[in-house]
Amino acid sequence: MALYQRSSKLLLSPRSASSPILTATALARRARFLSTEAAQRKGFVEWYEGHLNARPVLTKAVTGAFLWGLGDVVAQVVPTLIQDEDGNDDTTKKEFKYDIPRTARAVTFGFAIHAPLSHVHFNLLEWMTVKGGFTGLSIPIFKTVMEQFIYWSWFSNSLYHGAMGAMQGKNLDQIQTRIKDVLWDTQVAQWKFWIPVQLLNFQFVPVRHQLNVVLLTSVVWTALLSAWYPPEEEEEAKVSDEKKD
């Protein structure tokens, strides 16, 4: 009798009648749950790596925009902090006004110009290295020489000053004058800072991440430059104030 009642319950149970459908639904839900759980467990590095493999140029462009913007924030804020630590009065703090358009120009340059071209640059360097048959320690040396002395640093620094000038509304003559005035000093400072960084970068970092190392290090580089040299706009303001006096 007990066996009969148990069989009746199983036969009358709606769950048993639709068990194949429910089983498929349950499996699908469990698969979605597991995939969500796995995605949550994924670290930022794996998540970023996935985007870098799927959309390398766009991922680097977004990264470049963020880090160039961060670098400009550091460049604007650090001089004020240094002046405050030197014991200056509160006038500097009151006069400081954050330049949002300047940060917007840096973000635009990082997203639309620097990151996409740097993606091509690093892959071109890798292609030349493979074609040249370089191995061992000759790889970072060859790449650093090509980048810093042969073509890239001259091109990228000129492009930076030119693009910034154009976004500021300067004409062609003003842009050319600006590049002539600052390019050599920029190159000398770059060689002192970037040659050791890039030797290590080219030796130990995979090609797909070499631009990220440059962008991260550029935040420090920008902070150092802002501490060593005041921005051009501040210098022009000082000159105009002296002329008024």
Side-chain angles (χ1 to χ4, degrees):
M1 183 68 180
L3 180 61
Y4 173 77
Q5 288 177 348
R6 188 178 176 188
S7 302
S8 300
K9 286 179 182 178
L10 287 172
L11 289 171
L12 294 173
S13 170
R15 184 178 177 182
S16 64
S18 58
S19 58
I21 300 174
L22 287 175
T23 304
T25 306
L27 287 173
R29 285 177 182 171
R30 179 157 181 78
R32 282 199 299 270
F33 173 77
L34 290 173
S35 64
T36 305
E37 189 179 18
Q40 290 172 349
R41 287 179 184 173
K42 264 176 143 186
F44 173 77
V45 174
E46 290 182 33
W47 174 84
Y48 186 84
E49 191 76 23
H51 284 279
L52 194 61
N53 289 330
R55 294 169 289 275
V57 178
L58 179 60
T59 304
K60 290 176 183 179
V62 173
T63 306
F66 173 76
L67 291 176
W68 269 89
L70 177 61
D72 188 73
V73 171
V74 171
Q76 293 195 53
V77 173
V78 165
T80 306
L81 298 176
I82 291 174
Q83 287 170 356
D84 289 343
E85 287 177 2
D86 288 342
N88 291 350
D89 55 14
D90 291 334
T91 21
T92 306
K93 197 179 286 186
K94 289 177 183 174
E95 288 176 357
F96 174 72
K97 185 179 179 183
Y98 188 81
D99 190 348
I100 296 176
R102 172 176 154 175
T103 302
R105 290 193 293 269
V107 169
T108 302
F109 181 79
F111 178 83
I113 301 174
H114 182 262
L117 289 177
S118 294
H119 172 78
V120 176
H121 159 63
F122 284 111
N123 282 283
L124 175 62
L125 270 183
E126 182 67 14
W127 178 81
M128 288 191 291
T129 303
V130 173
K131 281 290 184 182
F134 294 94
T135 57
L137 289 175
S138 65
I139 293 176
I141 294 173
F142 169 75
K143 287 185 174 183
T144 302
V145 169
M146 290 297 295
E147 180 188 75
Q148 296 296 321
F149 297 104
I150 306 302
Y151 77 99
W152 178 249
S153 66
W154 301 94
F155 170 74
S156 62
N157 286 328
S158 300
L159 182 64
Y160 169 76
H161 291 300
M164 289 297 140
M167 284 189 277
Q168 285 176 300
K170 294 183 178 180
N171 60 41
L172 186 59
D173 290 336
Q174 290 173 320
I175 292 172
Q176 289 176 342
T177 302
R178 171 65 180 166
I179 293 173
K180 288 177 184 176
D181 289 342
V182 300
L183 183 59
W184 178 250
D185 290 337
T186 305
Q187 288 294 125
V188 173
Q190 170 158 322
W191 292 330
K192 292 177 182 177
F193 182 87
W194 282 107
I195 287 177
V197 171
Q198 289 298 72
L199 283 171
L200 294 173
N201 189 18
F202 290 136
Q203 177 65 19
F204 298 109
V205 180
V207 176
R208 64 184 181 280
H209 291 302
Q210 287 173 0
L211 174 58
N212 292 335
V213 172
V214 169
L215 291 170
L216 286 168
T217 314
S218 292
V219 177
V220 181
W221 168 245
T222 305
L224 289 173
L225 283 180
S226 66
W228 294 337
Y229 309 104
E232 180 191 2
E233 292 173 0
E234 290 182 10
E235 285 294 312
E236 290 174 353
K238 287 178 184 177
V239 171
S240 63
D241 288 342
E242 288 173 3
K243 286 181 180 178
K244 287 177 185 177
D245 295 339

